[in-house]
């Protein structure tokens, strides 16, 4: 239904635009069927279902390009939207580098990004499923030693999205996907004190085993963080767990491989293609063709087929990611990495699924045994203060475990980790872990790093 509605809307808009003095146009529409479930300390709260249709319209008049955005999908609004887009475009400055809108839409066939079970789940089944998640979380925390365990405020989202893209050259493409996000805090207490630890999962399919395994793991971990305290400032070894590692990758590394950043001298990887930037044991792919990968998609946000490619191969920086505009500046073709952060912004290039494929990896127990004096980092806040321009890391550890000579001593919180991400994965790297866990579209592994400055008490 969503694609049909967007297609009809786009056809009328493009048709009207072609009657005007407009060089070219591009319609990008999105229709979301959303189920939102509130999680409270009393269990499952209210359920809200809604559908949201919206679209962006980009047009070009010569070298002037304008963009307008609307959440009004009533056909009666079309003339006003078109007039507004033309008005915006006529007053826009000329862009001498403008290559025109992309042509020749296509997508990767057979890619699984839509889960029928997730899309068709009934409210009754959803309440039952979420109730099982909450009960499992509480029971697991109590079995791990909590005298009290409560799931505090959070949410569950299911989003079934339809995308439709069309241009004035006669190209069109569409697709649908599903996504499930769950977030809540589990509060735990025993004789030593209390704490809270977040449960977060983002998946494209109703993978019950993956979800419940993480529920149990999170609850057990929560109990371990009771009584956390700061440690002295100094240099420490850090065992950075996959989700925290993924957060750092998203903040520091992902922007650095984008042609948008590189062309604006906002990346430490400028002029580094072909150079060794990480350990030889590290290979990192942009792989948007993983079935049910959280960032997987058959085509990008400009209708261009996505591509699987190494960003880093055996430590060597191999590929920059491009959209149509940034590729044209260098006389290249788009790599199918155009991403619209919001519908009211223009596409820019970004990796879609960042996937670590390391060699000579270790299991978690072996990595812990390697630690002489350090912290296992399970949670941070403030990672956005890290710097993608030079790779500098800054984040406050909220959930950590202090380790001496391979033995976990006590929980740690409230200290700031520093250092540089590129040093983490090269000269300061001790070991790479086996376990791959996704932080949204980042599929990261644990890393054990030496000489990390910690600002503590």
């Amino acid at each position: 239904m969503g694609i049909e509605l967007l297609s009809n809307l786009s056809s009328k808009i493009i048709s009207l635009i072609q009657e005007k003095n407009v060089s070219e146009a591009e319609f990008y529409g999105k229709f979301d069927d959303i189920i939102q479930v509130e999680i409270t300390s009393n269990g499952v709260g209210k359920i809200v279902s809604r559908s949201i249709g919206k679209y962006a319209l980009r047009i070009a008049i010569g070298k002037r390009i304008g963009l307008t955005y609307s959440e009004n999908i009533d056909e009666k609004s079309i003339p006003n939207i078109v007039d507004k887009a033309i008005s915006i475009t006529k007053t826009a400055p000329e862009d001498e580098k403008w290559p025109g809108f992309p042509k020749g839409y296509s997508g990767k066939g057979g890619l699984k990004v839509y889960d029928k079970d997730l899309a068709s789940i009934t409210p009754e089944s959803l309440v039952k499923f979420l109730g099982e998640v909450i009960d499992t979380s509480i029971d697991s925390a109590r079995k791990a030693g909590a005298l009290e365990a409560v799931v505090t405020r959070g949410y569950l989202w299911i989003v079934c999205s339809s995308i439709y893209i069309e241009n004035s050259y006669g190209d069109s493409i569409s697709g649908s996907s599903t996504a499930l996000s769950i977030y809540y805090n589990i509060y735990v207490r025993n004789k030593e004190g209390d704490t809270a630890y977040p449960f977060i999962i983002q998946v494209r399919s109703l993978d019950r085993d993956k979800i419940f395994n993480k529920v149990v793991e999170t609850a057990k971990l929560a109990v371990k963080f009771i009584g956390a305290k700061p440690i002295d400032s100094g240099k420490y070894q850090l065992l950075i767990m996959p989700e925290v590692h993924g957060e750092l990758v998203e903040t520091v590394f992902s922007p650095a491989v984008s042609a948008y950043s590189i062309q604006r001298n906002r990346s430490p990887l400028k002029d580094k293609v072909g150079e060794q930037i990480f350990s030889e044991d590290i290979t990192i792919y942009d792989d948007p063709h993983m079935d049910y990968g959280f960032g997987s998609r058959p085509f990008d946000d400009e209708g261009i087929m996505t591509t699987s490619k190494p960003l880093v191969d055996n430590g060597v920086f191999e590929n920059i990611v491009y959209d149509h505009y940034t590729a044209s500046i260098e006389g290249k073709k788009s790599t199918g990495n155009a991403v619209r952060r919001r519908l009211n912004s223009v596409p820019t290039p970004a990796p879609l699924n960042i996937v670590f494929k390391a060699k000579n990896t270790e299991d978690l127990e072996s990595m812990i045994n390697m630690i002489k004096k350090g912290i296992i980092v399970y949670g941070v806040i403030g990672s956005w203060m890290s710097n993608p321009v030079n790779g500098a890391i800054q984040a406050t550890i909220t959930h950590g475990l202090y380790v001496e000579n391979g033995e976990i001593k006590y929980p740690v919180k409230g200290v700031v980790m520093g250092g540089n991400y590129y040093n983490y994965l090269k000269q300061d790297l001790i070991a790479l872990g086996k376990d791959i866990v996704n932080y949204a579209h980042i599929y990261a592994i644990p890393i054990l790093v030496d000489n990390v400055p910690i600002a503590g008490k």
Side-chain angles (χ1 to χ4, degrees), residues 87-376:
S87 176
I88 290 171
T89 306
K90 285 181 176 179
T91 59
E94 290 193 346
D95 183 352
E96 294 302 326
K97 296 178 181 179
W98 177 245
F101 291 119
K103 304 174 187 176
Y105 295 170
S106 62
K108 168 73 173 176
L111 181 62
K112 296 177 182 178
V113 291
Y114 185 89
D115 180 33
K116 292 181 180 179
D117 291 340
L118 190 57
S120 62
I121 192 168
T122 64
E124 294 79 14
S125 297
L126 187 57
V127 169
K128 181 181 178 183
F129 163 74
L130 189 51
E132 290 175 7
V133 166
I134 293 170
D135 289 344
T136 302
S137 195
I138 292 170
D139 290 345
S140 299
R142 286 174 174 165
K143 288 177 182 177
L147 297 177
E148 180 184 1
V150 179
V151 166
T152 63
R153 199 167 189 84
Y155 62 80
L156 176 149
W157 287 73
I158 293 175
V159 183
C160 301
S161 294
S162 298
I163 301 291
Y164 184 85
I165 311 174
E166 184 176 358
N167 63 27
S168 53
Y169 298 106
D171 293 313
S172 65
I173 196 166
S174 62
S176 298
S177 63
T178 53
L180 167 67
S181 299
I182 308 174
Y183 169 85
Y184 59 80
N185 276 293
I186 178 164
Y187 166 85
V188 291
R189 180 186 62 81
N190 63 20
K191 293 177 181 179
E192 283 73 44
D194 59 4
T195 192
Y197 185 53
F199 171 81
I200 305 170
I201 195 163
Q202 295 172 300
V203 290
R204 283 208 183 273
S205 63
L206 195 59
D207 187 337
R208 291 180 62 92
D209 287 343
K210 180 175 181 177
I211 294 167
F212 280 97
N213 285 341
K214 187 164 185 182
V215 167
V216 172
E217 178 190 359
T218 301
K220 289 179 178 179
L221 278 171
V223 179
K224 292 183 179 182
F225 300 127
I226 293 174
K229 57 186 178 182
I231 57 174
D232 292 333
S233 298
K235 293 285 186 73
Y236 291 82
Q237 296 170 327
L238 292 193
L239 174 48
I240 303 171
M241 297 301 284
E243 284 144 304
V244 177
H245 184 199
E247 194 170 339
L248 300 181
V249 170
E250 173 69 3
T251 305
V252 171
F253 179 70
S254 181
V257 302
S258 167
Y260 181 87
S261 300
I262 290 172
Q263 290 172 358
R264 287 159 179 76
N265 298 313
R266 300 284 297 169
S267 169
L269 300 181
K270 182 177 174 62
D271 300 324
K272 293 289 181 70
V273 172
E275 292 190 16
Q276 191 91 23
I277 62 169
F278 294 147
S279 159
E280 293 179 354
D281 288 336
I282 295 174
T283 293
I284 306 172
Y285 267 82
D286 176 30
D287 185 6
H289 297 161
M290 297 168 54
D291 282 343
Y292 299 116
F294 203 73
S296 295
R297 57 182 77 182
F299 54 88
D300 72 2
D301 283 344
E302 292 183 313
I304 304 302
M305 183 185 293
T306 53
T307 58
S308 180
K309 52 202 166 291
L311 301 172
V312 176
D313 188 14
N314 296 321
V316 176
F317 182 36
E318 290 288 343
N319 282 294
I320 299 167
V321 300
Y322 293 90
D323 64 353
H324 178 65
Y325 183 88
T326 56
S328 69
I329 291 174
E330 299 180 29
K332 298 179 178 181
K333 292 184 177 180
S334 169
T335 57
N337 285 89
V339 174
R340 299 175 193 253
R341 303 292 183 185
R342 299 175 302 277
L343 259 68
N344 59 353
S345 62
V346 298
T348 53
L352 302 174
N353 275 328
I354 295 181
V355 184
F356 279 72
K357 299 185 178 181
K359 297 183 296 186
N360 299 317
T361 55
E362 304 281 349
D363 60 37
L364 184 59
E365 184 178 352
S366 297
M367 296 178 82
I368 294 173
N369 287 333
M370 294 178 190
I371 300 174
K372 295 177 181 178
K373 178 186 175 184
I375 308 168
I376 310 173

